[in-house]
Amino acid sequence: MNRPRARRAGLTVLSALLAGGLLTAAAPSAAAGPAKYTHAAAAQQLRNAGITWTSSGACSNRNNSRCTSFDQINKTTISGVIAFKGASRCAVTITGGTETGHAPGTYSHWNGYKVDVKLTSCVDRYVTTKFRYVGPRPGDHAKQYRSPAGNIYAHEGSHWDITYYNGGS
């Protein structure tokens, strides 16, 4: 059977299955949340990019605030951290992920949008010279910088609290 005829035959079969209710066409849900990683999958992506992490409890249990967990982290958050490392050429160490103990909210650590990154002169210099200062954050007055991708880097004194709304740096 030639390709065009095979393709038409395949489409005919699919149409019949759809019409008969034996197959359903799934459209993405408007309410679907962002794609997530398990801790192991996110850790592998970070490891491959040369990004390290530390945990005061030497653990990765999401329900323990002394751990650093990537369980249920957004894939765009991981791609954002990787993009930041690539653009800045800085050593990047994550000190906080999706573990309990952070402030709540839609764009929170728990919901997979944030990571905390260790302060270094390289990271500090890159954020403060390449990103636009947008003023203090309401509540704690942390200095905030917006990347060209729209992500927010907030200097919380002991680390950078980064909110990744999308995968750019």
Side-chain angles (χ1 to χ4, degrees):
M1 185 179 281
N2 67 26
R3 273 187 188 201
R5 192 175 306 157
R7 193 171 288 131
R8 278 193 306 273
L11 289 173
T12 302
V13 169
L14 286 175
S15 296
L17 290 171
L18 281 168
L22 299 173
L23 182 67
T24 59
S29 167
K36 305 284 187 175
Y37 275 125
T38 63
H39 177 83
Q44 187 61 53
Q45 293 295 313
L46 296 169
R47 198 175 295 110
N48 291 346
I51 296 171
T52 60
W53 57 95
T54 186
S55 164
S56 61
C59 51
S60 62
N61 181 340
R62 187 170 199 236
N63 295 302
N64 182 338
S65 63
R66 295 191 66 231
C67 299
T68 296
S69 178
F70 304 125
D71 193 35
Q72 295 300 303
I73 198 163
N74 297 340
K75 289 185 175 185
T76 53
T77 300
I78 295 298
S79 65
V81 175
I82 292 170
F84 175 75
K85 183 186 187 320
S88 69
R89 297 183 176 176
C90 296
V92 174
T93 301
I94 297 173
T95 61
T98 60
E99 65 280 350
T100 191
H102 298 282
T106 301
Y107 298 104
S108 65
H109 283 270
W110 184 260
N111 288 335
Y113 289 90
K114 290 185 169 211
V115 292
D116 291 338
V117 169
K118 181 180 177 179
L119 297 177
T120 67
S121 58
C122 183
V123 170
D124 298 351
R125 186 171 39 258
Y126 189 84
V127 171
T128 60
T129 62
K130 301 293 185 183
F131 300 161
R132 186 169 59 89
Y133 178 69
V134 294
R137 185 166 58 190
D140 66 357
H141 306 289
K143 290 182 179 179
Q144 297 181 109
Y145 296 82
R146 179 175 284 119
S147 74
N151 301 313
I152 298 292
Y153 291 65
H155 191 290
E156 290 190 342
S158 63
H159 61 271
W160 286 98
D161 178 74
I162 308 169
T163 307
Y164 286 102
Y165 297 103
N166 58 63
S169 64

